[in-house]
Amino acid sequence: MAVLTAPGLATGTAYAAPAAPAAPGAPAAPAPEPGAKSLEQVRKEIEDLYRQAGTATDAYNLAEAEAKAQSDKIVEIANLIVAGQERITTLKGRAGAAARAQYRSGGLPAGAKLALSDDPGKFLDGAGRLKQGEKAASDMLAELDRTQNDLKRYAQEASAHWATLEANRLKQEASKKQIEEKIKAAEELENKLEAEEKARLIQLEQEAQYKAQTAWLSSGAMKDVNGAATEAGKRAVQFATAQVGKPYVWGAEGPGSFDCSGLTSQAWLAAGRPIPRTSQEQLRLLPKVALKDMRPGDLIIYFDDASHVAMYVGDGAMVHAPRPGRNVTIAGAGSMPIKAVVRPDA
């Protein structure tokens, strides 16, 4: 099949897994003590905690993006209020000048005096000026009224945006607390393991990915997948694969570290196509494509809650930032449950 391959992938070979299961005859892991959790149970528990942290990270990133949008809107409204206040000052100055001129002329506008003249020519001229003066005064008062109403509306909008900003701040704080709690719990579980157990834990992770990827490939999922990358897709893949080896950090968008959607959004930004920041928003706002039509550069959304995202790179592989404690890596596209495929450059 004609696909774009990532560095280290053989053209035309569907990617199976980062590592195969332990060879037959290899020493088995020590049996757990009665009542103790097996290492596989610990692995699943750690994985679940990091998945929950990933969901909270998506909520945190969305709240952060919304907070920035509200903050920018408040600045925009503040500038409109300043401009409106300056306009009101100008209009009031013009109204004051007109009032002073009327006072100096004995209470009658100059146009009115001319209109009372016995000279027919002056009378017609004065009537015209009077009409112009009345219209100008009426327009000025109407503009003053409009500007004051605008300022009142701006103040109401600013108040609403402040309320939304505060709500997003509270959402960020709640999500951050949840992220920190889940990551801490996962790290505490992992830190209790001996060095050999930690090495075995990584092996178990690889075996689970291998099993899922093999089952996915065996299902025929890649049978008709042969889409070629666009030029923008190639640039996005090149950026994403160049980040391999950099650590996962929640909320990070590079250049030294990434979370899953930080990697995909920055890759497409580098390709000249800004996309939503979070995996859930990427799913919601980007066009969906059938799995059989998948091409390099497309984004694969994982899990029912769309809490993880990766970029398809060809040959049945994807690049992603897995979780805290792991680095950006290339893995099997079917090594996690796929929810949808979306296309940034549809």
Side-chain angles (χ1 to χ4, degrees):
M1 64 188 162
V3 292
L4 175 71
T5 57
L9 295 178
T11 304
T13 303
Y15 185 84
E33 296 178 8
K37 291 180 182 177
S38 69
L39 197 55
E40 175 62 12
Q41 289 174 317
V42 172
R43 182 193 71 78
K44 288 181 177 179
E45 190 172 343
I46 290 173
E47 183 180 277
D48 187 55
L49 285 166
Y50 279 126
R51 273 208 54 218
Q52 292 176 43
T55 302
T57 296
D58 218 43
Y60 176 91
N61 290 336
L62 181 59
E64 185 176 45
E66 289 175 345
K68 184 181 184 305
Q70 296 302 327
S71 181
D72 291 344
K73 189 65 179 177
I74 288 169
V75 171
E76 180 185 332
I77 291 172
N79 291 332
L80 289 172
I81 289 174
V82 170
Q85 288 172 335
E86 290 175 350
R87 184 61 181 156
I88 284 177
T89 299
T90 300
L91 291 170
K92 285 182 176 180
R94 284 170 53 189
R100 288 191 295 274
Q102 186 171 333
Y103 175 78
R104 287 194 298 270
S105 63
L108 285 175
K113 287 188 175 182
L114 287 170
L116 296 174
S117 170
D118 292 334
D119 186 318
K122 289 184 178 180
F123 175 83
L124 292 173
D125 181 57
R129 291 186 185 181
L130 180 59
K131 188 174 182 180
Q132 291 174 359
E134 287 175 345
K135 184 178 185 306
S138 175
D139 289 348
M140 182 177 65
L141 290 174
E143 186 177 353
L144 181 61
D145 186 55
R146 280 197 307 271
T147 305
Q148 288 174 328
N149 286 335
D150 284 344
L151 287 179
K152 188 183 295 184
R153 178 167 54 84
Y154 294 153
Q156 291 171 343
E157 288 180 3
S159 178
H161 284 294
W162 272 116
T164 305
L165 183 65
E166 178 62 12
N168 284 327
R169 186 186 66 78
L170 293 174
K171 280 196 292 186
Q172 278 181 274
E173 288 183 357
S175 295
K176 182 179 180 181
K177 183 179 179 182
Q178 187 178 7
I179 293 163
E180 290 172 342
E181 287 174 351
K182 299 300 180 184
I183 291 177
K184 183 180 178 182
E187 288 175 342
E188 285 177 351
L189 277 174
E190 202 161 353
N191 288 338
K192 290 177 182 177
L193 301 176
E194 300 294 334
E196 289 183 6
E197 291 176 317
K198 288 181 180 179
R200 176 63 179 153
L201 182 67
I202 293 174
Q203 185 180 7
L204 287 173
E205 287 178 4
Q206 292 175 338
E207 288 176 359
Q209 292 170 15
Y210 177 87
K211 183 178 179 181
Q213 176 74 354
T214 301
W216 184 66
L217 293 174
S218 298
S219 72
M222 287 293 297
K223 181 174 177 288
D224 298 318
V225 179
N226 57 8
T230 61
E231 287 304 312
K234 290 177 183 178
R235 291 195 297 272
V237 168
Q238 286 167 358
F239 178 95
T241 54
Q243 313 313 312
V244 168
K246 293 183 179 179
Y248 177 107
V249 174
W250 68 267
E253 299 178 86
S257 58
F258 296 87
D259 64 19
C260 66
S261 57
L263 177 65
T264 55
S265 60
Q266 287 301 304
W268 272 103
L269 183 63
R273 300 291 181 93
I275 63 173
R277 169 65 177 87
T278 71
S279 57
Q280 292 173 353
E281 288 295 282
Q282 288 167 6
L283 172 64
R284 187 173 73 88
L285 297 175
L286 297 178
K288 296 178 180 63
V289 296
L291 184 65
K292 66 180 180 61
D293 297 324
M294 184 167 62
R295 68 191 186 198
D298 287 347
L299 305 183
I300 306 174
I301 309 296
Y302 292 98
F303 304 112
D304 287 340
D305 59 0
S307 58
H308 193 71
V309 61
M311 178 179 292
Y312 183 62
V313 297
D315 285 346
M318 55 82 164
V319 60
H320 71 146
R323 66 164 176 84
R326 299 291 182 264
N327 298 331
V328 175
T329 189
I330 292 172
S335 57
M336 293 177 287
I338 296 174
K339 181 177 179 65
V341 178
V342 296
R343 178 162 294 166
D345 62 339

